[in-house]
Amino acid sequence: QVQLQESGPGLVKPSETLSLTCIVSGGSISSYYWSWIRQPPGKGLEWIGYMYHSGSTNYNPSLKSRVTISVDTSKNQFSLRLSSVTAADTAVYFCARSVSQVSGYDYWGQGTLVTVSS
Amino acid sequence: EIVMTQSPATLSVSPGERATLSCRASQSVSSNLAWYQQKPGQAPRLLIYGASTRATGIPARFSGSGSGTEFTLTISSLQPEDFAVYYCQQYYSWYTFGQGTKLEIK
């Protein structure tokens, strides 16, 4: 059974960089697409970006200038960096898997709340 | 950006009855649409992809239909565990979600 687990600081100061890691267990990170999705408290879902196991990436145009997603296949994990954060970036951040670029997300992490505050 | 609009925002239905949730895309997404269920404090759960294909392990009471810009999720006989928030998502051009429909007990 594939499992995803997010980890990282729960509190980030404004203007700093948010960094999260998603550890994939029960399956290989190869041959799938790995995404980050966020959900502000009480609101809907926003796709941040994805990467393929080869390292190719695609980002939400509205966040592209601030987002970097990377993979470490040796550790079976991938990471998110979001720079210059503001209070508007406060959200639950989920990592998720999709079989292809044109499919739904079949496995999700439990999510981790990141609060941007001084 | 393709905007997904779900209706109604809240739907009140009694257990055992049928629920019909709608999702409209601002432009055609063909059949590149998924439905998710989300319960409080949990991650979304994939129900339907390709507009009408049930994901692994999803009960047959969940069905999806539609193509182009109009889509429907139907739950044929509501069970207590079905009361949750439901989201549609298009993956035709980038990825955008609807704002959600809260399905509550009547």
Side-chain angles (χ1 to χ4, degrees):
Chain A
Q1 175 77 346
V2 175
Q3 293 186 312
L4 287 70
Q5 178 67 58
E6 305 91 349
S7 64
L11 181 63
V12 181
K13 290 182 167 57
S15 80
E16 295 191 344
T17 296
L18 178 160
S19 296
L20 296 173
T21 296
C22 181
I23 299 173
V24 179
S25 59
S28 174
I29 204 166
S30 299
S31 302
Y32 294 102
Y33 289 79
W34 303 94
S35 290
W36 288 97
I37 296 152
R38 69 181 182 179
Q39 185 172 38
K43 296 188 178 180
L45 299 157
E46 179 182 36
W47 170 70
I48 298 171
Y50 74 71
M51 71 172 307
Y52 190 49
H53 69 93
S54 63
S56 64
T57 55
N58 250 321
Y59 302 134
N60 186 323
S62 68
L63 298 170
K64 186 174 183 177
S65 64
R66 299 194 291 131
V67 174
T68 302
I69 297 176
S70 59
V71 66
D72 186 338
T73 53
S74 66
K75 295 182 178 179
N76 227 38
Q77 65 185 43
F78 63 107
S79 300
L80 168 71
R81 289 173 57 86
L82 180 66
S83 64
S84 305
V85 298
T86 70
D89 295 309
T90 293
V92 175
Y93 285 75
F94 295 100
C95 55
R97 187 191 89 166
S98 56
V99 174
S100 74
Q101 293 167 288
V102 285
S103 66
Y105 302 109
D106 57 354
Y107 286 97
W108 294 68
Q110 66 187 28
T112 187
L113 174 63
V114 179
T115 301
V116 178
S117 175
S118 56
Chain B
E1 174 182 315
I2 298 177
V3 177
M4 308 301 292
T5 303
Q6 293 185 239
S7 62
T10 303
L11 182 62
S12 300
V13 183
S14 299
E17 294 188 341
R18 174 189 297 258
T20 302
L21 289 68
S22 296
C23 176
R24 173 177 293 178
S26 60
Q27 64 187 77
S28 176
V29 299
S30 186
S31 294
N32 294 297
L33 185 110
W35 288 95
Y36 299 86
Q37 175 193 71
Q38 187 179 32
K39 296 180 179 179
Q42 297 185 15
R45 173 193 180 196
L46 179 64
L47 300 174
I48 301 285
Y49 63 92
S52 61
T53 303
R54 276 190 304 277
T56 302
I58 301 303
R61 65 180 180 274
F62 291 91
S63 63
S65 63
S67 66
T69 62
E70 300 285 343
F71 300 88
T72 300
L73 174 70
T74 301
I75 311 171
S76 60
S77 178
L78 281 164
Q79 302 299 302
E81 63 268 27
D82 298 336
F83 293 94
V85 178
Y86 291 82
Y87 293 96
C88 61
Q89 177 219 357
Q90 66 82 20
Y91 42 85
Y92 178 80
S93 175
W94 303 111
Y95 309 88
T96 51
F97 294 85
Q99 81 280 16
T101 290
K102 181 180 181 180
L103 181 57
E104 64 176 26
I105 300 174
K106 186 174 183 180

